[in-house]
Amino acid sequence: MKKSIIVVVLLAIATTISFAQNASQARKVLDKTASIVGRKGGATANFTISGKYGNASGTIAIKGSKFRANTQDAIVWFDGKTEWTYIKKNEEVNVTTPTEAQQQAMNPYKFITIYKNGFNLSMTTSASEYKVHLIAQNQTRTIKELYITIDKRTNLPKQIKMRQSNGWTTINISNFKAENQSDAHFRFNSKDFPKAEVIDLR
């Protein structure tokens, strides 16, 4: 009986160590990806999105937590605090303070900061990619779960899937380029859109 208890305890310890090592490896992969994507000067990429926020495709510029996304229907600026969404059809600009999930939906690189706190990490690997799985420790959090697929060769993310209470959103990313961006690029300038009606929803 004592031998059985010892075996069970040893197996439990081994399993715990294995999970801890896997989580550590997942964090190292994300750290490396975040260091590339989050370069100080900024970057650009193409993206497609499907799910809760509808279907869209376009280009994105990023710099730290700032982003500017261009799609066929809208332009979105985010300066790290305030978001401006210009609806081309209506010539309206909605000003908001977006939630974490709303930022993630328009900025697929938001994961480079949120993975560092409040998520349990694990990872599987194949010949060509890593797939990192993040589960929120607090399930009342807006983003409850994430899958981040990363190319092993480039260490760049290819796809991000996020789960909220009402379902999954999938973002595919391509054509990443390191390109310096000015801070002004991430703020709406009314002079560029003189006919636009600005609606403050904060």
Side-chain angles (χ1 to χ4, degrees), residues 87-106:
I87 310 299
K88 296 178 182 178
K89 181 174 65 175
N90 302 331
E91 289 195 298
E92 287 181 358
V93 178
N94 294 321
V95 187
T96 60
T97 303
T99 65
E100 177 183 81
Q102 287 168 338
Q103 290 178 49
Q104 176 74 59
M106 287 308 297

Side-chain angles (χ1 to χ4, degrees), residues 10 17 21 24 33 40 49 56-57 61 70 83 85 100 103 117-118 121 126 157 161 169 173 190 193 201:
L10 289 174
I17 291 170
Q21 288 175 339
S24 177
T33 299
K40 189 175 180 180
I49 182 171
S57 62
N70 287 267
E83 182 176 287
T85 303
E100 177 183 81
Q103 290 178 49
N117 292 294
L121 278 63
S126 68
K161 294 180 69 175
T169 297
I173 311 163
S190 59
F193 301 88
L201 301 174

Side-chain angles (χ1 to χ4, degrees), residues 139-152:
Q139 282 294 300
T140 62
R141 192 168 179 161
T142 309
I143 298 177
K144 304 178 187 305
E145 189 174 6
L146 286 163
Y147 284 96
I148 303 169
T149 303
I150 296 168
D151 188 299
K152 275 187 172 181

Side-chain angles (χ1 to χ4, degrees), residues 23-154:
S24 177
Q25 290 169 350
R27 185 171 294 276
K28 285 179 181 177
V29 168
L30 288 181
D31 285 344
K32 191 166 187 178
T33 299
S35 70
I36 297 170
V37 172
R39 65 182 295 274
K40 189 175 180 180
T44 62
N46 296 341
F47 73 93
T48 63
I49 182 171
S50 60
K52 177 179 184 273
Y53 293 94
N55 300 321
S57 62
T59 60
I60 186 168
I62 59 169
K63 184 180 181 181
S65 63
K66 304 176 181 71
F67 69 89
R68 174 174 175 165
N70 287 267
T71 71
Q72 184 177 354
D73 300 317
I75 305 172
V76 181
W77 298 260
F78 180 67
D79 67 357
K81 180 181 178 182
T82 303
E83 182 176 287
W84 297 264
T85 303
Y86 173 64
I87 310 299
K88 296 178 182 178
K89 181 174 65 175
N90 302 331
E91 289 195 298
E92 287 181 358
V93 178
N94 294 321
V95 187
T96 60
T97 303
T99 65
E100 177 183 81
Q102 287 168 338
Q103 290 178 49
Q104 176 74 59
M106 287 308 297
N107 177 9
Y109 294 121
K110 174 68 179 171
F111 79 87
I112 69 172
T113 55
I114 67 172
Y115 79 90
K116 295 177 181 178
N117 292 294
F119 285 90
N120 294 324
L121 278 63
S122 62
M123 183 175 68
T124 58
T125 63
S126 68
S128 61
E129 61 190 29
Y130 303 105
K131 182 170 280 190
V132 182
H133 186 200
L134 297 82
I135 298 180
Q137 294 165 357
N138 181 356
Q139 282 294 300
T140 62
R141 192 168 179 161
T142 309
I143 298 177
K144 304 178 187 305
E145 189 174 6
L146 286 163
Y147 284 96
I148 303 169
T149 303
I150 296 168
D151 188 299
K152 275 187 172 181
R153 182 178 56 84
T154 62

